[in-house]
PDB file of all heavy atoms in Angstrom:
ATOM      1  N   GLU A  61     128.351  86.056 108.380  1.00 97.00           N
ATOM      2  CA  GLU A  61     128.523  86.580 107.107  1.00 97.00           C
ATOM      3  C   GLU A  61     127.226  86.819 106.296  1.00 97.00           C
ATOM      4  O   GLU A  61     126.367  85.946 106.359  1.00 97.00           O
ATOM      5  CB  GLU A  61     129.480  85.633 106.233  1.00 97.00           C
ATOM      6  CG  GLU A  61     130.954  85.501 106.814  1.00 97.00           C
ATOM      7  CD  GLU A  61     131.771  86.649 106.513  1.00 97.00           C
ATOM      8  OE1 GLU A  61     131.382  87.592 105.701  1.00 97.00           O
ATOM      9  OE2 GLU A  61     132.923  86.755 107.095  1.00 97.00           O
ATOM     10  N   GLY A  65     128.915  90.159 101.460  1.00 93.00           N
ATOM     11  CA  GLY A  65     130.163  90.450 102.039  1.00 93.00           C
ATOM     12  C   GLY A  65     130.068  91.290 103.271  1.00 93.00           C
ATOM     13  O   GLY A  65     131.160  91.543 103.941  1.00 93.00           O
ATOM     14  N   LEU A  67     128.367  92.009 107.314  1.00 97.00           N
ATOM     15  CA  LEU A  67     128.171  91.140 108.507  1.00 97.00           C
ATOM     16  C   LEU A  67     126.871  91.399 109.179  1.00 97.00           C
ATOM     17  O   LEU A  67     126.283  92.518 109.057  1.00 97.00           O
ATOM     18  CB  LEU A  67     129.229  91.380 109.587  1.00 97.00           C
ATOM     19  CG  LEU A  67     130.748  90.969 109.228  1.00 97.00           C
ATOM     20  CD1 LEU A  67     131.670  91.474 110.376  1.00 97.00           C
ATOM     21  CD2 LEU A  67     130.796  89.510 108.984  1.00 97.00           C
ATOM     22  N   LEU A  78     132.218  91.304 119.992  1.00 97.00           N
ATOM     23  CA  LEU A  78     132.177  91.987 118.817  1.00 97.00           C
ATOM     24  C   LEU A  78     133.536  92.771 118.557  1.00 97.00           C
ATOM     25  O   LEU A  78     134.098  92.784 117.469  1.00 97.00           O
ATOM     26  CB  LEU A  78     131.004  92.980 118.897  1.00 97.00           C
ATOM     27  CG  LEU A  78     130.821  93.847 117.696  1.00 97.00           C
ATOM     28  CD1 LEU A  78     130.471  92.970 116.446  1.00 97.00           C
ATOM     29  CD2 LEU A  78     129.577  94.863 117.891  1.00 97.00           C
ATOM     30  N   ALA A  79     134.073  93.363 119.679  1.00 97.00           N
ATOM     31  CA  ALA A  79     135.351  94.043 119.510  1.00 97.00           C
ATOM     32  C   ALA A  79     136.556  93.176 119.164  1.00 97.00           C
ATOM     33  O   ALA A  79     137.409  93.576 118.504  1.00 97.00           O
ATOM     34  CB  ALA A  79     135.661  94.772 120.841  1.00 97.00           C
ATOM     35  N   ALA A  80     136.460  91.943 119.571  1.00 97.00           N
ATOM     36  CA  ALA A  80     137.483  90.989 119.390  1.00 97.00           C
ATOM     37  C   ALA A  80     137.415  90.104 118.126  1.00 97.00           C
ATOM     38  O   ALA A  80     138.413  89.573 117.666  1.00 97.00           O
ATOM     39  CB  ALA A  80     137.650  89.981 120.552  1.00 97.00           C
ATOM     40  N   ASP A  81     136.268  90.182 117.486  1.00 97.00           N
ATOM     41  CA  ASP A  81     136.086  89.336 116.219  1.00 97.00           C
ATOM     42  C   ASP A  81     137.055  89.794 115.112  1.00 97.00           C
ATOM     43  O   ASP A  81     137.273  90.964 114.799  1.00 97.00           O
ATOM     44  CB  ASP A  81     134.693  89.510 115.737  1.00 97.00           C
ATOM     45  CG  ASP A  81     134.265  88.640 114.573  1.00 97.00           C
ATOM     46  OD1 ASP A  81     134.552  89.015 113.455  1.00 97.00           O
ATOM     47  OD2 ASP A  81     133.887  87.464 114.872  1.00 97.00           O
ATOM     48  N   SER A  82     137.780  88.837 114.568  1.00 96.00           N
ATOM     49  CA  SER A  82     138.840  89.172 113.591  1.00 96.00           C
ATOM     50  C   SER A  82     138.320  89.808 112.353  1.00 96.00           C
ATOM     51  O   SER A  82     138.931  90.697 111.681  1.00 96.00           O
ATOM     52  CB  SER A  82     139.553  87.840 113.180  1.00 96.00           C
ATOM     53  OG  SER A  82     138.717  86.918 112.591  1.00 96.00           O
ATOM     54  N   ARG A  83     137.020  89.508 111.989  1.00 96.00           N
ATOM     55  CA  ARG A  83     136.427  90.195 110.768  1.00 96.00           C
ATOM     56  C   ARG A  83     136.133  91.589 111.030  1.00 96.00           C
ATOM     57  O   ARG A  83     136.333  92.437 110.153  1.00 96.00           O
ATOM     58  CB  ARG A  83     135.210  89.317 110.373  1.00 96.00           C
ATOM     59  CG  ARG A  83     135.412  88.013 109.870  1.00 96.00           C
ATOM     60  CD  ARG A  83     134.071  87.086 109.946  1.00 96.00           C
ATOM     61  NE  ARG A  83     133.675  86.891 111.253  1.00 96.00           N
ATOM     62  CZ  ARG A  83     132.623  86.293 111.623  1.00 96.00           C
ATOM     63  NH1 ARG A  83     131.877  85.628 110.622  1.00 96.00           N
ATOM     64  NH2 ARG A  83     132.121  86.092 112.929  1.00 96.00           N
ATOM     65  N   VAL A  84     135.671  91.869 112.240  1.00 96.00           N
ATOM     66  CA  VAL A  84     135.318  93.231 112.630  1.00 96.00           C
ATOM     67  C   VAL A  84     136.672  94.024 112.672  1.00 96.00           C
ATOM     68  O   VAL A  84     136.754  95.153 112.128  1.00 96.00           O
ATOM     69  CB  VAL A  84     134.559  93.319 113.900  1.00 96.00           C
ATOM     70  CG1 VAL A  84     134.407  94.757 114.448  1.00 96.00           C
ATOM     71  CG2 VAL A  84     133.187  92.638 113.794  1.00 96.00           C
ATOM     72  N   ARG A  85     137.666  93.479 113.324  1.00 96.00           N
ATOM     73  CA  ARG A  85     138.947  94.186 113.566  1.00 96.00           C
ATOM     74  C   ARG A  85     139.563  94.459 112.139  1.00 96.00           C
ATOM     75  O   ARG A  85     140.209  95.539 111.936  1.00 96.00           O
ATOM     76  CB  ARG A  85     139.830  93.446 114.395  1.00 96.00           C
ATOM     77  CG  ARG A  85     139.363  93.262 115.750  1.00 96.00           C
ATOM     78  CD  ARG A  85     140.273  92.292 116.665  1.00 96.00           C
ATOM     79  NE  ARG A  85     141.602  92.719 116.713  1.00 96.00           N
ATOM     80  CZ  ARG A  85     142.610  92.094 117.234  1.00 96.00           C
ATOM     81  NH1 ARG A  85     142.365  90.788 117.630  1.00 96.00           N
ATOM     82  NH2 ARG A  85     143.751  92.436 117.330  1.00 96.00           N
ATOM     83  N   ARG A  86     139.390  93.570 111.211  1.00 94.00           N
ATOM     84  CA  ARG A  86     140.088  93.675 109.930  1.00 94.00           C
ATOM     85  C   ARG A  86     139.262  94.582 108.959  1.00 94.00           C
ATOM     86  O   ARG A  86     139.843  95.509 108.390  1.00 94.00           O
ATOM     87  CB  ARG A  86     140.214  92.318 109.221  1.00 94.00           C
ATOM     88  CG  ARG A  86     140.990  92.343 107.902  1.00 94.00           C
ATOM     89  CD  ARG A  86     141.245  91.001 107.346  1.00 94.00           C
ATOM     90  NE  ARG A  86     140.064  90.229 107.117  1.00 94.00           N
ATOM     91  CZ  ARG A  86     139.600  89.269 107.868  1.00 94.00           C
ATOM     92  NH1 ARG A  86     140.055  88.868 109.014  1.00 94.00           N
ATOM     93  NH2 ARG A  86     138.445  88.633 107.465  1.00 94.00           N
ATOM     94  N   ARG A  87     138.001  94.435 108.921  1.00 95.00           N
ATOM     95  CA  ARG A  87     137.186  95.157 107.948  1.00 95.00           C
ATOM     96  C   ARG A  87     136.609  96.460 108.437  1.00 95.00           C
ATOM     97  O   ARG A  87     136.363  97.376 107.675  1.00 95.00           O
ATOM     98  CB  ARG A  87     135.939  94.207 107.486  1.00 95.00           C
ATOM     99  CG  ARG A  87     136.382  92.947 106.852  1.00 95.00           C
ATOM    100  CD  ARG A  87     135.153  92.134 106.411  1.00 95.00           C
ATOM    101  NE  ARG A  87     135.257  90.719 106.500  1.00 95.00           N
ATOM    102  CZ  ARG A  87     134.290  89.909 106.251  1.00 95.00           C
ATOM    103  NH1 ARG A  87     133.022  90.324 106.071  1.00 95.00           N
ATOM    104  NH2 ARG A  87     134.561  88.582 106.320  1.00 95.00           N
ATOM    105  N   TYR A  88     136.290  96.492 109.758  1.00 96.00           N
ATOM    106  CA  TYR A  88     135.624  97.623 110.451  1.00 96.00           C
ATOM    107  C   TYR A  88     136.413  98.138 111.619  1.00 96.00           C
ATOM    108  O   TYR A  88     135.799  98.038 112.732  1.00 96.00           O
ATOM    109  CB  TYR A  88     134.155  97.299 110.755  1.00 96.00           C
ATOM    110  CG  TYR A  88     133.411  96.627 109.607  1.00 96.00           C
ATOM    111  CD1 TYR A  88     133.275  95.267 109.602  1.00 96.00           C
ATOM    112  CD2 TYR A  88     132.753  97.342 108.573  1.00 96.00           C
ATOM    113  CE1 TYR A  88     132.443  94.595 108.589  1.00 96.00           C
ATOM    114  CE2 TYR A  88     132.038  96.757 107.614  1.00 96.00           C
ATOM    115  CZ  TYR A  88     131.841  95.386 107.540  1.00 96.00           C
ATOM    116  OH  TYR A  88     131.164  94.769 106.615  1.00 96.00           O
ATOM    117  N   PRO A  89     137.594  98.448 111.488  1.00 96.00           N
ATOM    118  CA  PRO A  89     138.420  98.791 112.745  1.00 96.00           C
ATOM    119  C   PRO A  89     137.812  99.937 113.543  1.00 96.00           C
ATOM    120  O   PRO A  89     137.925  99.936 114.730  1.00 96.00           O
ATOM    121  CB  PRO A  89     139.816  99.111 112.240  1.00 96.00           C
ATOM    122  CG  PRO A  89     139.612  99.468 110.721  1.00 96.00           C
ATOM    123  CD  PRO A  89     138.412  98.581 110.280  1.00 96.00           C
ATOM    124  N   VAL A  90     137.096 100.758 112.919  1.00 97.00           N
ATOM    125  CA  VAL A  90     136.465 101.917 113.749  1.00 97.00           C
ATOM    126  C   VAL A  90     135.492 101.411 114.688  1.00 97.00           C
ATOM    127  O   VAL A  90     135.416 101.953 115.860  1.00 97.00           O
ATOM    128  CB  VAL A  90     135.702 102.865 112.704  1.00 97.00           C
ATOM    129  CG1 VAL A  90     134.609 102.196 111.948  1.00 97.00           C
ATOM    130  CG2 VAL A  90     135.198 104.113 113.434  1.00 97.00           C
ATOM    131  N   LEU A  91     134.816 100.286 114.332  1.00 97.00           N
ATOM    132  CA  LEU A  91     133.844  99.694 115.244  1.00 97.00           C
ATOM    133  C   LEU A  91     134.574  98.971 116.414  1.00 97.00           C
ATOM    134  O   LEU A  91     134.191  99.223 117.709  1.00 97.00           O
ATOM    135  CB  LEU A  91     132.934  98.604 114.573  1.00 97.00           C
ATOM    136  CG  LEU A  91     131.954  97.953 115.459  1.00 97.00           C
ATOM    137  CD1 LEU A  91     131.024  98.946 116.239  1.00 97.00           C
ATOM    138  CD2 LEU A  91     131.046  96.974 114.513  1.00 97.00           C
ATOM    139  N   SER A  92     135.529  98.299 116.226  1.00 97.00           N
ATOM    140  CA  SER A  92     136.288  97.594 117.267  1.00 97.00           C
ATOM    141  C   SER A  92     136.953  98.651 118.215  1.00 97.00           C
ATOM    142  O   SER A  92     136.891  98.563 119.393  1.00 97.00           O
ATOM    143  CB  SER A  92     137.354  96.698 116.641  1.00 97.00           C
ATOM    144  OG  SER A  92     138.128  96.146 117.777  1.00 97.00           O
ATOM    145  N   PRO A 220     132.517  96.298 103.370  1.00 88.00           N
ATOM    146  CA  PRO A 220     133.423  97.435 103.385  1.00 88.00           C
ATOM    147  C   PRO A 220     134.146  97.595 102.017  1.00 88.00           C
ATOM    148  O   PRO A 220     134.389  96.552 101.372  1.00 88.00           O
ATOM    149  CB  PRO A 220     134.510  97.009 104.458  1.00 88.00           C
ATOM    150  CG  PRO A 220     134.488  95.514 104.391  1.00 88.00           C
ATOM    151  CD  PRO A 220     133.038  95.112 104.036  1.00 88.00           C
ATOM    152  N   HIS A 221     134.433  98.768 101.669  1.00 81.00           N
ATOM    153  CA  HIS A 221     135.247  99.062 100.477  1.00 81.00           C
ATOM    154  C   HIS A 221     136.691  98.865 100.827  1.00 81.00           C
ATOM    155  O   HIS A 221     137.214  99.360 101.849  1.00 81.00           O
ATOM    156  CB  HIS A 221     134.956 100.515  99.948  1.00 81.00           C
ATOM    157  CG  HIS A 221     135.447 100.791  98.672  1.00 81.00           C
ATOM    158  ND1 HIS A 221     136.725 100.883  98.295  1.00 81.00           N
ATOM    159  CD2 HIS A 221     134.751 100.981  97.458  1.00 81.00           C
ATOM    160  CE1 HIS A 221     136.997 101.175  97.068  1.00 81.00           C
ATOM    161  NE2 HIS A 221     135.804 101.194  96.445  1.00 81.00           N
ATOM    162  N   ALA A 222     137.304  98.217  99.918  1.00 66.00           N
ATOM    163  CA  ALA A 222     138.734  97.796 100.231  1.00 66.00           C
ATOM    164  C   ALA A 222     139.626  98.957 100.496  1.00 66.00           C
ATOM    165  O   ALA A 222     140.605  98.857 101.307  1.00 66.00           O
ATOM    166  CB  ALA A 222     139.291  96.891  98.982  1.00 66.00           C
ATOM    167  N   LEU A 224     138.692 101.930 101.716  1.00 82.00           N
ATOM    168  CA  LEU A 224     138.152 102.817 102.749  1.00 82.00           C
ATOM    169  C   LEU A 224     138.723 102.502 104.077  1.00 82.00           C
ATOM    170  O   LEU A 224     138.488 101.458 104.664  1.00 82.00           O
ATOM    171  CB  LEU A 224     136.664 102.783 102.861  1.00 82.00           C
ATOM    172  CG  LEU A 224     135.852 103.888 103.422  1.00 82.00           C
ATOM    173  CD1 LEU A 224     136.008 105.140 102.602  1.00 82.00           C
ATOM    174  CD2 LEU A 224     134.374 103.455 103.506  1.00 82.00           C
ATOM    175  N   ARG A 225     139.525 103.391 104.622  1.00 92.00           N
ATOM    176  CA  ARG A 225     140.187 103.157 105.943  1.00 92.00           C
ATOM    177  C   ARG A 225     139.393 103.917 107.076  1.00 92.00           C
ATOM    178  O   ARG A 225     138.795 104.948 106.825  1.00 92.00           O
ATOM    179  CB  ARG A 225     141.614 103.788 105.898  1.00 92.00           C
ATOM    180  CG  ARG A 225     142.444 103.000 104.900  1.00 92.00           C
ATOM    181  CD  ARG A 225     143.778 103.585 104.749  1.00 92.00           C
ATOM    182  NE  ARG A 225     144.560 103.065 103.657  1.00 92.00           N
ATOM    183  CZ  ARG A 225     145.331 101.900 103.854  1.00 92.00           C
ATOM    184  NH1 ARG A 225     145.376 101.275 104.962  1.00 92.00           N
ATOM    185  NH2 ARG A 225     145.950 101.430 102.750  1.00 92.00           N
ATOM    186  N   SER A 226     139.339 103.279 108.182  1.00 95.00           N
ATOM    187  CA  SER A 226     138.431 103.846 109.236  1.00 95.00           C
ATOM    188  C   SER A 226     139.213 103.921 110.612  1.00 95.00           C
ATOM    189  O   SER A 226     140.089 103.197 110.933  1.00 95.00           O
ATOM    190  CB  SER A 226     137.133 103.094 109.393  1.00 95.00           C
ATOM    191  OG  SER A 226     137.424 101.772 109.923  1.00 95.00           O
TER     192      SER A 226
END
Side-chain angles (χ1 to χ4, degrees):
E61 297 279 352
L67 291 179
L78 184 57
D81 187 271
S82 60
R83 294 162 296 181
V84 173
R85 293 173 62 188
R86 183 175 65 255
R87 302 183 207 171
Y88 312 96
V90 64
L91 177 56
S92 180
H221 193 288
L224 201 65
R225 301 174 183 274
S226 66

